[in-house]
Amino acid sequence: MAIPFVDLKAQYRNIAPDVQRRINQVLEHGQYILGPEVFELESKLASYVGVKHCISTSSGTDSLLMALMALNVGPGDEVITTPFSFMATAEVIALLGATPVFVDIDATTYNIDATKIRSVVSENTKVILPVSLFGQCADMDEINDIAREYELAVIEDGAQSFGATYKGNKSCGLSTLGATSFFPTKPLGCYGDGGALFTNDDDLNRILREIRVHGQESRYRQSRLGINGRLDTIQAAILLAKLDIFDSDIKKRALAASRYSDLLKAEIASVEPPDILTSNVSVYAQYTIRIKNREKVIQRLSSMGIPSAVHYPGLLPAQPVFKHFVAQGDSFPIAENAAQTVLSLPMHPEIELVEQEEVVAGLKNALDN
């Protein structure tokens, strides 16, 4: 039997009674849009992150879009971000008519290299949008210092890092706004699309709540343009059940990551396991290594029933839709190298030691042959 890359069924079996109970409560009261579970979840998530406000959203992508809209980002503005991320990070910038400005990444964390941000700040820069990739936070102190110096806002894309900590503080509570995703395979995932925004700013909280209901400040009175950005009540109910076990899941992920690293160091010296900075606690949204001959390794692992994934095989500036944003001579050598060498192994809270041993043995075999 093939090893699952992410095993959502195993997790569900552990919490099925609570999930069903909470879903049934929604079915009984029938408030499927902005029902009481939505506001209960927002209160608990805000407390978890350690901020005043949580605004639940329809997806991680909509979280980013709404954050930029709340900051009035539009044509003529520039948003500094990473070239090594999922499409949504830069997509939302371009959708609003603004310009994504890409900065190369740090070779250790895969996150934006904060030391290179100052060199691209211009009079048009409005926001810095770092991504806390693979479960580890970016260098938020340095990024926030630059933002204060130039009077910029910071949006942390924490789609993969919800539950992680940076210098003892939770991801998504480290900047002007934090955005996350509850896509099913995320560390805290629902059973569909969902997301959230976090802030300590009362005005941004008000604006975001208007944006997620088509810009409505009161019934049928629109003060601004918005979107349909609401989280379904049933998804909120599911997240409440999963939030109860989230800290336990984080510990299980850390244990699984530690086992992987120990096995790899003992068996395969040529493989680079993740390097987590001492200031960070990762939630290991992915367990991502670096290897050579990646395509050959992927094929051989697949033949053994071992799945793997590449996050991400191409840089955002190389996408046809973004090429016109990249000036001639711009290069991102560290990100390019990462795109060619990273490989994510099966990772989830319920993964067993025997499965990890099989993955590492398969990887060793694939690299040796």
Side-chain angles (χ1 to χ4, degrees), residues 230-241:
R230 302 168 303 208
L231 178 71
D232 291 340
T233 307
I234 284 179
Q235 298 301 340
I238 291 162
L239 286 165
L240 284 167

Side-chain angles (χ1 to χ4, degrees), residues 128-237:
I128 305 173
L129 203 170
V131 178
S132 295
L133 203 64
F134 300 154
Q136 177 172 203
C137 291
D139 185 357
M140 297 303 295
D141 278 358
E142 177 67 16
I143 292 168
N144 286 329
D145 284 347
I146 296 168
R148 279 190 289 270
E149 181 180 341
Y150 293 98
E151 298 183 346
L152 308 173
V154 178
I155 303 169
E156 181 196 5
D157 181 344
Q160 297 182 13
S161 61
F162 188 77
T165 59
Y166 170 81
K167 298 184 179 180
N169 297 308
K170 286 286 198 306
S171 175
C172 294
L174 304 170
S175 54
T176 315
L177 285 161
T180 197
S181 168
F182 298 132
F183 187 79
T185 57
K186 302 299 184 187
L188 180 62
C190 54
Y191 294 157
D193 277 314
L197 286 156
F198 299 85
T199 186
N200 283 310
D201 188 300
D202 294 339
D203 286 336
L204 285 176
N205 172 59
R206 174 183 55 80
I207 292 167
L208 287 165
R209 292 186 183 280
E210 292 174 1
I211 288 173
R212 79 169 174 187
V213 286
H214 303 283
Q216 183 172 270
E217 67 175 59
S218 58
R219 189 165 176 79
Y220 295 122
R221 179 178 173 81
Q222 273 70 31
S223 57
R224 65 188 71 251
L225 289 176
I227 64 171
N228 180 358
R230 302 168 303 208
L231 178 71
D232 291 340
T233 307
I234 284 179
Q235 298 301 340

Side-chain angles (χ1 to χ4, degrees), residues 71-328:
L71 294 169
N72 294 313
V73 171
D77 294 328
E78 294 178 352
V79 178
I80 297 171
T81 193
T82 171
F84 190 56
S85 182
F86 182 61
M87 174 70 175
T89 302
E91 177 183 42
V92 292
I93 299 168
L95 278 171
L96 294 175
T99 299
V101 176
F102 299 105
V103 173
D104 207 357
I105 63 172
D106 175 81
T108 299
T109 65
Y110 306 108
N111 293 324
I112 191 170
D113 186 340
T115 66
K116 296 176 181 176
I117 291 176
R118 276 189 177 84
S119 66
V120 299
V121 173
S122 77
E123 62 181 12
N124 297 319
T125 304
K126 196 162 189 176
V127 175
I128 305 173
L129 203 170
V131 178
S132 295
L133 203 64
F134 300 154
Q136 177 172 203
C137 291
D139 185 357
M140 297 303 295
D141 278 358
E142 177 67 16
I143 292 168
N144 286 329
D145 284 347
I146 296 168
R148 279 190 289 270
E149 181 180 341
Y150 293 98
E151 298 183 346
L152 308 173
V154 178
I155 303 169
E156 181 196 5
D157 181 344
Q160 297 182 13
S161 61
F162 188 77
T165 59
Y166 170 81
K167 298 184 179 180
N169 297 308
K170 286 286 198 306
S171 175
C172 294
L174 304 170
S175 54
T176 315
L177 285 161
T180 197
S181 168
F182 298 132
F183 187 79
T185 57
K186 302 299 184 187
L188 180 62
C190 54
Y191 294 157
D193 277 314
L197 286 156
F198 299 85
T199 186
N200 283 310
D201 188 300
D202 294 339
D203 286 336
L204 285 176
N205 172 59
R206 174 183 55 80
I207 292 167
L208 287 165
R209 292 186 183 280
E210 292 174 1
I211 288 173
R212 79 169 174 187
V213 286
H214 303 283
Q216 183 172 270
E217 67 175 59
S218 58
R219 189 165 176 79
Y220 295 122
R221 179 178 173 81
Q222 273 70 31
S223 57
R224 65 188 71 251
L225 289 176
I227 64 171
N228 180 358
R230 302 168 303 208
L231 178 71
D232 291 340
T233 307
I234 284 179
Q235 298 301 340
I238 291 162
L239 286 165
L240 284 167
K242 297 184 78 171
L243 187 59
D244 287 342
I245 63 162
F246 186 47
D247 283 339
S248 174
D249 276 358
I250 291 174
K251 291 177 182 177
K252 289 179 181 179
R253 285 178 175 274
L255 176 60
S258 177
R259 291 194 305 228
Y260 262 141
S261 295
D262 289 344
L263 288 167
L264 288 169
K265 289 173 185 175
E267 300 292 335
I268 316 174
S270 63
V271 167
E272 295 182 39
D275 191 348
I276 309 303
L277 301 184
T278 56
S279 59
N280 286 342
V281 175
S282 177
V283 287
Y284 293 98
Q286 283 82 34
Y287 186 89
T288 303
I289 61 174
R290 284 184 188 260
I291 61 168
K292 298 177 181 179
N293 303 317
R294 186 174 67 193
E295 293 309 310
K296 181 189 76 172
V297 170
I298 290 172
Q299 291 174 5
R300 290 182 174 172
L301 287 174
S302 180
S303 71
M304 292 180 265
I306 299 172
S308 59
V310 178
H311 307 90
Y312 299 92
L315 301 188
L316 293 176
Q319 297 293 338
V321 72
F322 293 133
K323 279 190 173 180
H324 64 287
F325 292 120
V326 182
Q328 187 174 4

